[in-house]
Amino acid sequence: MKTDTINQAEVGMSPAQLVLKRKWTDTLRVTLRAVVKVKGGLWGGIFISIMLICAIGAQWISPSDPNAQDIMHRFAGPSLDHFFGTDYLGRDIFSRIIYGCRIAVMVAFGAVTLSSIVGVFLGVVSGYNEGKKIDYFIIWLFDIVRSFPQIILALAIVAVLGPSLFNVVIALAFTAFPFYGRVARAQTLSVKEADYVKAAEAMGLKPLKIISRHITPNIMAPVIVCLGMDMATMIVWESGLSFLGLGVRPPTASWGIMLRNGYKYIQTSPWMILWPALAIALAMIAFSLFSEGLRVALDPKERER
Amino acid sequence: MLKYIIKRALWVIPTLLGVLIILFSLTYLMPGDPASAMLGPRATPELVAELNQRLHLDRAMPVRLGYYLLGVAKGDLGTSVWSGHKVSSLLAEALPHTALLALTSLGVAALIGILLGAFAAVRRDSPIGGGVTIASLLGVAVPDFVAALLLMLLFCVQIPILPALGAGAAGDPIDIAVHLILPATALGIGWVGYLARLTRESMLDVLDADYIRTARAFAIPRRAIAYRYALKNAVIPSITVIGLGVGKLLGGAVFVEIIFSRPGIGKLIVDAVYARDFPVVQGGILVATILFVLANLAADISYAFVDPRIQYD
């Protein structure tokens, strides 16, 4: 591996070893570089970038207002005016797909951020207090939430709180935090025996400070790998919940809502289902290519095969 | 190992207790008064009071929790606010449909996926390996509800050869089977590629192991080595994944049942959510969760049996 950011001592180390050695931002950069080198990882990265650009710049990229109705031209097939055709209210499907990126990214990003913050905090606390009562309590909590089939739990929470963008994020985050928690706990168990943690303890630092300053920064790399993979799942679930009418509220352009509308007109207007289905599939392919690249880049055994 | 199994099985009890507490506290998250929320805007005060009393909603929280746990322990999951039927009998009616759907799709997918993966590993230089990777990528890429919609679009609308809605007439095996094809495919298609890839990878590892080389030195036929010696160990990761996957499968069944309008636990839960019929939602989720917990338990235990090298303390 030849990169300018690595000093002499680290030449020849695998990204996995670097993870243990370097600050997590450096690790991230080195890892990303390795991912892009894996066949497929680059394509995943490109697709994800396009999606992010669409999400951020939806109002400049999309040719028309996603909610502008044109009743005269409803159920139109693809044409130069409407690249992907129009839906049952004559809204431009292409624009709605682009705005749908924004919802997908927002929900997925919000949910993984929230759940990883909660999960990592609980996981680190539990790992640091291994064998104590609080450790058992947190493990119990993780196991309870993990016992539910995830999407069904999310469905129940949204059903109780009422469907909205914010509640979808809360529900998805709640179903996912134990997974981050378990990764963080396992990492903490190995990191807390390190000399620098022992040194910090000997200096009399408070546990909370040790956790936040010395442990958490050193366990972030595997958590970030999980984040990447989880984004894809969250995108699927957001559209799933919206498809059931228990997600983002219409008229917001969400891929799930578009599928829901398409389902109603499946007999007459196949375009309404095809485009959002394709968008979801592309997003999934992008994320799985990317996380596959991530896995290969972090696993030295894989790289030899 | 026995000690591990007992410990693992006993852990289910506090976990399920926690599950019940969460399901119970969900009622507290409902905005406003749960009784009037369930009965809708046209509820009279008498009806609300009656429901409050019937569901013990007028009592203190610990008392209600006690009633709830006691009821569940006795197998009483309450009655549907909407139809007045017992939740347990609604679930008993729905469960066989979901079980048939889930077991068919998982069974067929596991059989095809594992054999395909093993085959791809044995012929490691043939294009089948690449094919398996691409198939698994596509399987992951198309979530079950999108697959269901696309299959419906293709085989019910564009080329109408398969029935779109329902579970088929009861007592007519052929009709039931025909109605099962599309939903089971939608639910299982992702698993084929996933299991194939998993098996292929672990099979590649196993085929490099010393004991396989020894077997080869003893001139045991290639096919016997691959499918009798190697596959047994290569299948271990798939077992865990299937155990964990039951949750995903039940989640997928929700969508597939809604889309194909099949009776089942998933449709029961979602319809109850729409109707704000909370006892049914609670009961449905409880049953789905118990199934998931038991599947995980079974996977963990079978894991211990299949691979005796694993040590537990």
Side-chain angles (χ1 to χ4, degrees), chain B residues 117-177:
Chain B
F119 189 71
V122 174
R123 308 269 167 91
R124 66 173 83 185
D125 295 321
S126 76
I128 298 168
V132 164
T133 312
I134 293 173
S136 80
L137 196 62
L138 283 178
V140 175
V142 183
D144 23 40
F145 68 100
V146 178
L149 287 171
L150 291 178
L151 285 170
M152 187 184 231
L153 187 63
L154 190 60
F155 292 110
C156 306
V157 179
Q158 301 294 324
I159 319 165
I161 47 172
L162 287 169
L165 302 177
D172 181 353
I174 295 172
D175 198 35
I176 290 175

Side-chain angles (χ1 to χ4, degrees), chain B residues 208-227:
Chain B
D208 288 338
D210 287 342
Y211 78 97
I212 296 295
R213 198 174 45 193
T214 311
R216 213 167 274 158
F218 275 88
I220 296 169
R222 262 189 119 76
R223 188 169 301 189
I225 292 177
Y227 295 104

Side-chain angles (χ1 to χ4, degrees), chain A residues 49-72:
Chain A
S49 311
I50 294 176
M51 215 181 135
L52 288 179
I53 292 170
C54 285
I56 295 166
Q59 62 264 53
W60 299 295
I61 296 170
S62 72
S64 55
D65 181 352
N67 292 322
Q69 303 181 5
D70 181 4
I71 299 293
M72 298 304 289

